[in-house]
């Protein structure tokens, strides 16, 4: 592992921390989730090119497919919250109901 | 020029700190787009032209556009940037200083061994190896998805299809 891999792993960890620590917006946590998926994409893509093993290239593309699915569902939940309360502030979510 | 990949990975971490310090989502989306550009350049430097293009087109051009429009719908009137308010600025500066310290550590000792050892400097430079340069390995590898991974294509396609119905049911409300 080179320091480049260390930086990309560090980027994943920073996004993970950003997703788990709430401030005021739910959308900011969804953006940190997208950041996690992007750092995993970059890591698997450079490992595929570094090992000269082209079949690993399937993995970033499939991960992108499922990241798109989860982003769509997360955004749909955010839109339904925003339709009820007007904004997506997390301190509005105290009823366990959208 | 030897250190261009390391510099790009440092800029990736700084971009990630930029949206993980949680400003208003529209500025977080901007930092994510900048991080995506830097990440695409990292992939290109490793020789993955197809995957860099996939990242730009599908990730930045598809998903970030959707995030931008959704953020424009669910945003307040005065969005909070990195300079307004103490919390966001403090998180951002602490993250930047952490990265600067780590860069100084790497430049001094040439390795970071905490629990996992990031010390394999032999992998620093990507060598152009065997075979003709006419067939790019990353696009051929991704094309194998439709050959060896036929069932995976079917499952992923069905997942996307059902995902559309899930989104419709969620946004229908009651």
């Amino acid at each position: 592992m080179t320091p480049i891999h260390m930086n990309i792993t560090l980027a994943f960890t920073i996004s993970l921390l950003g997703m788990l620590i709430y401030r005021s917006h739910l959308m900011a946590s969804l953006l940190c989730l997208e950041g996690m998926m992007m750092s995993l994409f970059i890591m698997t893509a450079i490992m595929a090119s570094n090992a000269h093993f082209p079949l690993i290239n399937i993995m970033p593309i499939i991960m992108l497919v499922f990241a798109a699915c989860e982003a769509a569902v997360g955004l749909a939940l955010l839109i339904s919250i925003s339709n009820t309360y007007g904004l997506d502030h997390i301190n509005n979510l105290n009823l366990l109901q959208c | 020029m030897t250190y261009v990949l390391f510099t790009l990975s440092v800029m990736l971490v700084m971009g990630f700190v930029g949206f993980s310090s949680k400003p208003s989502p529209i500025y977080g989306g901007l930092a994510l787009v900048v991080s995506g550009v830097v990440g695409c350049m990292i992939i290109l430097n490793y020789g993955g032209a197809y995957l860099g293009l996939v990242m730009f087109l599908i990730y930045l051009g598809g998903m970030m556009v959707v995030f931008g429009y959704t953020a424009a719908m669910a945003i307040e009137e005065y969005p909070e940037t990195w300079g307004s308010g103490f919390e966001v600025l403090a998180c951002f500066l602490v993250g930047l200083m952490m990265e600067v310290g780590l860069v100084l550590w790497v430049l001094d000792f040439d390795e970071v061994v905490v629990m996992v050892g990031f010390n394999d400097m032999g992998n620093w430079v990507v060598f152009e190896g065997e075979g003709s340069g006419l067939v790019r390995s990353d696009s051929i590898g991704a094309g194998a998805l439709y050959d060896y991974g036929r069932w995976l294509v079917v499952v992923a396609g069905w997942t996307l299809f059902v995902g559309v119905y899930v989104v419709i049911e969620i946004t229908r409300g009651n």
Side-chain angles (χ1 to χ4, degrees):
Chain A
M1 297 286 147
T2 66
I4 301 167
H5 295 115
M6 174 196 77
N7 272 327
I8 300 177
T9 313
L10 193 62
F12 176 81
T13 312
I14 289 174
S15 294
L16 177 68
L17 277 177
M19 191 189 80
L20 296 175
I21 298 175
Y22 291 154
R23 278 194 67 230
S24 57
H25 280 280
L26 185 68
M27 179 87 180
S29 291
L30 289 181
L31 282 174
C32 289
L33 191 65
E34 289 304 306
M36 283 163 65
M37 292 307 302
M38 175 159 76
S39 72
L40 285 176
F41 181 91
I42 296 170
M43 180 69 101
T44 46
I46 71 178
M47 279 192 174
S49 292
N50 207 9
H52 291 282
F53 191 11
L55 277 181
I56 304 179
N57 285 122
I58 295 176
M59 187 165 149
I61 292 182
I62 289 297
M63 263 172 35
L64 211 58
V65 167
F66 290 112
C69 283
E70 80 185 67
V73 171
L75 284 177
L77 287 171
L78 187 129
I79 286 298
S80 74
I81 290 172
S82 171
N83 280 342
T84 319
Y85 292 104
L87 288 173
D88 59 339
H89 284 156
I90 294 182
N91 49 9
N92 288 333
L93 306 176
N94 48 9
L95 278 182
L96 289 182
Q97 179 186 349
C98 276
Chain B
M1 200 57 199
T2 317
Y3 287 101
V4 67
L5 263 180
F6 185 62
T7 311
L8 283 174
S9 67
V10 168
M11 281 166 51
L12 182 85
V13 173
M14 289 184 177
F16 270 58
V17 168
F19 68 78
S20 290
S21 56
K22 305 287 195 72
S24 185
I26 207 74
Y27 292 106
L30 178 69
L32 195 59
V33 167
V34 168
S35 302
V37 171
V38 172
C40 175
M41 295 197 313
I42 292 177
I43 298 178
L44 286 178
N45 268 313
Y46 270 87
Y50 172 72
L51 283 175
L53 197 62
V54 159
M55 175 108 156
F56 251 115
L57 274 177
I58 285 121
Y59 194 86
L60 295 183
M63 290 162 67
M64 280 306 117
V65 164
V66 171
F67 266 91
Y69 277 113
T70 313
M73 278 179 63
I75 203 172
E76 66 247 2
E77 197 173 298
Y78 295 106
E80 180 184 22
T81 173
W82 293 282
S84 65
F86 176 67
E87 298 165 336
V88 180
L89 187 64
C91 291
F92 187 56
L93 289 180
V94 163
L96 287 191
M97 283 192 303
M98 179 270 302
E99 182 61 22
V100 165
L102 211 56
V103 166
L104 291 176
W105 184 349
V106 168
L107 291 180
D108 268 344
F109 295 110
D110 262 348
E111 64 178 9
V112 174
V113 182
V114 180
M115 279 169 63
V116 181
F118 294 106
N119 51 1
D120 194 2
M121 290 305 185
N123 278 337
W124 196 265
V125 178
V126 177
F127 63 95
E128 273 303 311
E130 62 291 345
S132 69
L134 293 174
V135 173
R136 303 293 306 187
S137 70
D138 50 351
S139 46
I140 281 294
L145 174 64
Y146 298 97
D147 183 11
Y148 297 110
R150 294 183 295 265
W151 181 241
L152 191 55
V153 167
V154 171
V155 168
W158 183 251
T159 305
L160 285 171
F161 184 64
V162 171
V164 169
Y165 279 97
V166 166
V167 165
I168 288 176
E169 287 296 321
I170 291 177
T171 51
R172 193 163 58 143
N174 43 341

